[in-house]
Amino acid sequence: MAADTKITIAIDGYSSCGKSTLAKAIAKQLHYAYIDTGAMYRAVTLYAMKNGYIKDGAVNSTLLIDDLGKIYIRFRYNVETGTSETFLDGENVEQEIRKIDVSENVSRVSEIKEVRKKLVTLQQLMGREKGIVMDGRDIGTVVFPDAELKIFMTADVDIRMQRRYDELMAKGHKVSMAQVKENLIHRDFVDTHRKEDPLIKANDAVVLDNSGITREEQLEFVLSLVIERKNKKCSSETSLK
Ligand code: DC
């Protein structure tokens, strides 16, 4: 039955497009696991910052790569808030990894080949049973190139900037609008131009520009694609029997 067929949903796109908001809503609706891969890159960045491996924006990649085997990242579901939280070496870092100083350093850390290799392997393990929604930059191209549904999200940069600014202010972070805009543009540039696993649209991804649509509309659109992909997977499995 299509309803029981589990698929993999990969969501990629530019910074602050609302990928995690959409991914969480889909996961909740389908009772799927949700993995925020950006949080994993942020956690490694926080580790590097705490250990003094980042100075004036430059990462000492040799020291960070040496430590990769002992960086332990996991997600734990918080029943009270109804959200999944990020833990770094046993410590809840969910708030800390969202701060602007981590955002300003994360692009450099996510360019490091060995960092990506470690995190991609972990992500593939997390999704091996399917029934997962994962968001990031390389999910449909590198982590799960065979995902049944791939979404590539985009939105107008000013809309993204406003959303990100509102989100940071609501959490009590001190930041200016100009700082948010500069950070967004910089991260998009590094993400799309880096050598290792750059952000590109997978050939078979569906583009979703959510500049002018509501969260409900985008969720409805993606859920209709989920039904279509589940039916397709179900019928191809049946014809193989
Ligand atoms: O989704 P986010 O903005 O929290 O991600 C933080 C950074 O991590 C982003 O600027 C690029 C990097 N990233 C990546 O390189 N690959 C991923 N799969 C996810 C995030």
Side-chain angles (χ1 to χ4, degrees):
M1 286 249 309
D4 301 318
T5 306
K6 283 188 174 172
I7 62 167
T8 300
I9 304 172
I11 303 183
D12 290 303
Y14 299 102
S15 293
S16 301
C17 272
K19 298 186 294 295
S20 62
T21 304
L22 173 64
K24 277 183 215 163
I26 302 168
K28 191 172 173 198
Q29 190 83 25
L30 301 175
H31 303 290
Y32 276 19
Y34 161 61
I35 300 293
D36 170 1
T37 64
M40 300 170 82
Y41 287 92
R42 287 173 180 271
V44 175
T45 304
L46 184 64
Y47 177 94
M49 289 165 68
K50 282 188 166 173
N51 285 278
Y53 297 165
I54 305 185
K55 296 236 165 66
D56 300 323
V59 187
N60 186 328
S61 52
T62 311
L63 294 180
L64 180 58
I65 292 165
D66 276 353
D67 278 7
L68 279 179
K70 52 183 190 190
I71 303 178
Y72 186 55
I73 300 164
R74 60 177 292 203
F75 294 103
R76 211 180 285 163
Y77 189 74
N78 182 328
V79 191
E80 273 170 37
T81 59
T83 57
S84 165
E85 295 178 333
T86 314
F87 285 73
L88 171 64
D89 298 329
E91 186 194 342
N92 187 337
V93 292
E94 186 55 38
Q95 298 300 323
E96 225 176 331
I97 58 167
R98 309 290 164 190
K99 290 186 177 161
I100 192 85
D101 53 349
V102 174
S103 298
E104 282 171 352
N105 287 312
V106 68
S107 296
R108 295 289 162 229
V109 170
S110 51
E111 280 181 308
I112 303 170
K113 189 168 129 190
E114 290 78 0
V115 170
R116 303 205 68 82
K117 194 164 175 255
K118 174 187 165 104
L119 297 187
V120 167
T121 304
L122 272 174
Q123 291 152 11
Q124 287 171 335
L125 269 174
M126 289 169 171
R128 69 186 186 280
E129 307 286 343
K130 294 197 172 277
I132 196 159
V133 187
M134 200 174 270
D135 78 354
R137 305 294 189 285
D138 57 345
I139 312 304
T141 49
V142 177
V143 183
F144 297 123
D146 297 329
E148 288 82 1
L149 178 57
K150 300 179 187 176
I151 306 286
F152 188 87
M153 285 180 76
T154 181
D156 182 84
V157 72
D158 288 322
I159 292 177
R160 293 195 277 134
M161 174 187 65
Q162 188 67 51
R163 285 178 188 158
R164 184 89 185 118
Y165 178 76
D166 293 345
E167 192 187 322
L168 288 169
M169 292 308 269
K171 286 184 185 161
H173 296 282
K174 283 203 178 72
V175 65
S176 71
M177 194 78 114
Q179 210 178 355
V180 172
K181 186 166 188 174
E182 195 186 312
N183 180 253
L184 272 193
I185 293 171
H186 172 71
R187 284 200 290 140
D188 283 351
F189 183 84
V190 177
D191 289 343
T192 49
H193 289 79
R194 68 172 172 238
K195 194 167 144 248
E196 306 297 332
D197 312 339
L199 168 66
I200 40 165
K201 186 187 96 59
N203 287 335
D204 51 350
V206 177
V207 177
L208 171 58
D209 182 336
N210 68 5
S211 307
I213 58 169
T214 65
R215 287 181 182 186
E216 292 73 26
E217 284 166 341
Q218 71 172 3
L219 179 61
E220 201 181 316
F221 169 68
V222 176
L223 290 176
S224 68
L225 291 174
V226 169
I227 295 171
E228 180 200 300
R229 301 303 160 97
K230 276 186 168 194
N231 286 336
K232 193 172 155 195
K233 182 174 159 74
C234 199
S235 54
S236 66
E237 280 169 359
T238 313
S239 65
L240 283 174
K241 282 181 189 159

